[in-house]
Each structure stands twice: as structure tokens, then as C-alpha cells.
Amino acid sequence: DVKVTQSSRYLVKRTGEKVFLECVQDMDHENMFWYRQDPGLGLRLIYFSYDVKMKEKGDIPEGYSVSREKKERFSLILESASTNQTSMYLCASSSFVWTEAFFGQGTRLTVV
Amino acid sequence: DAKTTQPTSMDCAEGRAANLPCNHSTISGNEYVYWYRQIHSQGPQYIIHGLKNNETNEMASLIITEDRKSSTLILPHATLRDTAVYYCIVRANNAGNMLTFGGGTRLMVKP
């Protein structure tokens, strides 16, 4: 059974904290994605990685960075969390020339 | 990637077919049509995809017009569990392409 696992389902952090959201996939996929989802705004792509140590900015990269040191793991980093980063964060993976992407269950992050 | 246009919301009676339209008039020859859905509080789930021909799997059927400028996702016998947001995406299968979502259609299946 294919799996994309996000480290936390719910997370509460304080303004200014450094936050790590972790995503692991067990399908040996090359592509990995980070999205955020907000009411009325749909799914927006933050960052995309197509290989280890490779990354591309998505539609809304500001305030975020990513790390992909190993093929199976893609981390989203909020260097200094702010309240406007309160959101649902979704990770996905797909093979290099893919037909479908697989999503994790999401992390609901609240920044207070 | 080509832009898609979908109705914001639709209703369907339980047990009836749900037909979800999608316009993609600027689709390129190498772009596929994909459908995903997102049930509340879950990550999106792949449903089906196609290039030119109609496709069917255990979840749904995909009808693509001959000019490829629009398509329809058909859920043949909608159930309450099909209530979700349905996303139509057009995308080439080139290696390394991003995956971006539009607004989708919120389908409400009613008893």
C-alpha cells in the first residue's frame, strides 16, 4: 500500500518559532510537493522537488524553505512562523514521469 | 499548464449519475486531463486521467470531447461518500512538471 506520511496531524507553534514539517514517502518517487490549503483559496503549491537536493519554487514560496537530503524525505521549513502561516499543509509525491500523485493526510498548523 | 474552468458547486441525488464538467479550451496536444477529488479533512485522491479517448475505471468515467477543449467526469451511481471537491487538471507528463490545482467543483450528494 503506497504511503505518504506527514509527521504531525496537528501542530501549534508560537510566532517567531522555527517550524519543521516532515514528509516521508515509501514509493521511491522522484517528485515531492508541498502545498498549503486555505478556505476559499484552494490548494496552492509552495515548493516542488524533482530530485535529491533539487527544488523549484511554486506559487507561494515566500516565508518558506525546503530541504531534500534523501529521496524519501521532503521537509518544509518555516524560518520564523507568523500567524498568516496558519493553514493546512499537504505533502504529495509522484514518480518522475507520473500518472498520479499521492497525498499525505495533511498537517493542520496553528501559529499563535 | 493549461487553465481549467469548473463550476463552483453542484448537487446530485444519491444513486443518480453525477456529471462534472470541465473546460480547458487552451489545452495543448501533449497535455493530459486529470481528475482528483478531496473529501473533507483528507488529502486529494487521484481518480482518473486521459489524453484523447474516453476512459473508465472502478471509480468513474472520463469523457473528453473530440476537440479536447472540454471533458466530463461521470460518477455513475453517486453515494453520500462521493461528496467532495473535484479538481480537473490539465498537465503534460514531462519529467519534473509541477502539479497545480484550480478551485474545483464542490459536489454535494443528497439523500
Side-chain angles (χ1 to χ4, degrees), chain A residues 7-64:
Chain A
S7 52
S8 305
R9 193 71 202 268
Y10 298 95
L11 210 52
V12 180
K13 295 291 181 180
R14 294 195 180 278
T15 301
E17 273 193 80
K18 190 169 186 175
V19 181
F20 292 86
L21 303 183
E22 306 285 348
C23 176
V24 177
Q25 50 95 2
D26 64 2
M27 296 163 281
D28 201 35
H29 282 166
E30 290 80 8
N31 295 333
M32 295 189 75
F33 309 81
W34 273 108
Y35 298 85
R36 65 177 281 177
Q37 186 167 33
D38 303 286
L41 295 176
L43 275 155
R44 293 180 292 168
L45 181 65
I46 305 172
Y47 265 100
F48 161 57
S49 170
Y50 55 89
D51 199 355
V52 174
K53 297 192 189 294
M54 305 305 289
K55 61 186 179 186
E56 296 276 348
K57 292 180 181 179
D59 298 320
I60 50 161
E62 297 79 19
Y64 304 94

Side-chain angles (χ1 to χ4, degrees), chain B residues 25-88:
Chain B
S25 57
T26 59
I27 191 169
S28 301
N30 65 339
E31 288 182 316
Y32 288 72
V33 180
Y34 287 83
W35 284 84
Y36 283 76
R37 75 178 182 184
Q38 187 174 22
I39 295 169
H40 183 62
S41 298
Q42 297 183 21
Q45 174 193 24
Y46 165 84
I47 302 173
I48 198 167
H49 76 283
L51 183 63
K52 295 184 203 176
N53 300 322
N54 298 338
E55 302 288 344
T56 296
N57 63 19
E58 65 279 2
M59 288 181 70
S61 295
L62 173 60
I63 309 297
I64 303 173
T65 58
E66 198 167 333
D67 64 7
R68 303 209 325 124
K69 293 185 176 181
S70 65
S71 60
T72 302
L73 179 75
I74 301 172
L75 309 178
H77 304 287
T79 71
L80 299 179
R81 287 174 294 183
D82 292 322
T83 292
V85 178
Y86 287 78
Y87 296 98
C88 169

